[in-house]
């Protein structure tokens, strides 16, 4: 999100008629580097050696659909029905599409203004993906609290 906000600042600055070729080149260089970093984050984010966000190999990636479903299932209780399924594949598709659509440079007001719209789309997509993950994390935390309470109650009953 911070990278997207910085990209929006750069595109906003680039959309000013007060810029010259030198300013646009400097803004574009940083903008392009930030876009590359976003791609790197999507490709290289992993946990325990498992890629998470990469569309080709990641846990939540669409390409995994041929090998298995694109969701991740957490067993949160003692029965088979007690599980939490997290599926953010559609959200990641939107984020990935937003990232691949960036220009490598803006050389005038018109191209900078076009990038503003793309960055706004990225910010919205990242917000939606973070919202989906946050909701799942909250649900998992509540489940964990409930299981802990059940354990304490069972231990108290056993000692009684």
């Amino acid at each position: 999100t911070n990278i997207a906000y910085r990209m929006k600042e750069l595109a906003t600055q680039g959309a000013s008629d007060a810029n010259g070729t030198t300013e646009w080149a400097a803004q574009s260089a940083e903008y392009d580097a930030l876009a590359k970093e976003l791609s790197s984050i999507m490709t290289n984010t992993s946990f325990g050696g498992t890629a998470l966000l990469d569309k080709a190999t990641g846990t939540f990636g669409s390409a995994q659909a041929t090998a298995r479903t694109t969701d991740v299932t957490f067993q949160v209780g003692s029965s088979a029905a007690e599980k939490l399924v997290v599926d953010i594949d559609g959200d990641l598709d939107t984020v990935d599409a937003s990232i691949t659509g960036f220009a490598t440079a803006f050389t005038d007001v018109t191209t900078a203004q076009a990038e503003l719209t793309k960055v706004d789309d990225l910010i919205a997509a990242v917000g939606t993906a973070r919202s989906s993950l946050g909701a799942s994390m909250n649900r998992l935390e509540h489940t964990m609290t409930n299981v802990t309470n059940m354990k304490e109650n069972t231990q108290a009953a056993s000692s009684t």
Side-chain angles (χ1 to χ4, degrees):
T1 303
N2 291 338
I3 291 173
Y5 285 140
R6 178 61 184 152
M7 291 175 75
K8 181 164 177 126
E9 288 175 19
L10 291 168
T12 301
Q13 291 170 4
S16 171
D17 278 328
N19 291 313
T21 306
T22 305
E23 289 81 8
W24 277 315
Q27 292 161 351
S28 292
E30 184 178 353
Y31 187 87
D32 185 48
L34 291 170
K36 287 178 182 173
E37 182 58 23
L38 284 174
S39 293
S40 176
I41 289 169
M42 292 293 287
T43 303
N44 297 317
T45 298
S46 64
F47 178 78
T50 301
L52 296 176
L53 307 176
D54 184 40
K55 298 308 296 175
T57 61
T59 299
F60 293 105
S62 294
Q64 293 297 314
T66 57
R68 63 178 181 78
T69 60
T70 58
D71 55 24
V72 176
T73 302
F74 296 94
Q75 186 66 38
V76 294
S78 59
S79 73
E82 296 176 279
K83 58 187 174 184
L84 170 65
V85 179
V86 179
D87 185 1
I88 60 164
D89 182 54
D91 296 335
L92 287 181
D93 283 340
T94 306
V95 171
D96 197 48
S98 296
I99 290 172
T100 57
F102 291 120
T104 56
F106 40 88
T107 56
D108 58 25
V109 172
T110 304
T111 55
Q113 287 173 339
E115 293 304 300
L116 279 172
T117 302
K118 293 176 186 177
V119 173
D120 285 339
D121 291 344
L122 172 64
I123 291 170
V126 169
T128 300
R130 288 180 68 176
S131 168
S132 296
L133 281 174
S136 296
M137 289 171 55
N138 284 338
R139 183 174 170 205
L140 188 58
E141 185 176 336
H142 289 296
T143 301
M144 187 175 65
T145 301
N146 185 45
V147 169
T148 301
N149 286 338
M150 288 178 13
K151 175 188 167 208
E152 290 172 1
N153 291 339
T154 301
Q155 287 176 337
S158 176
S159 68
T160 300

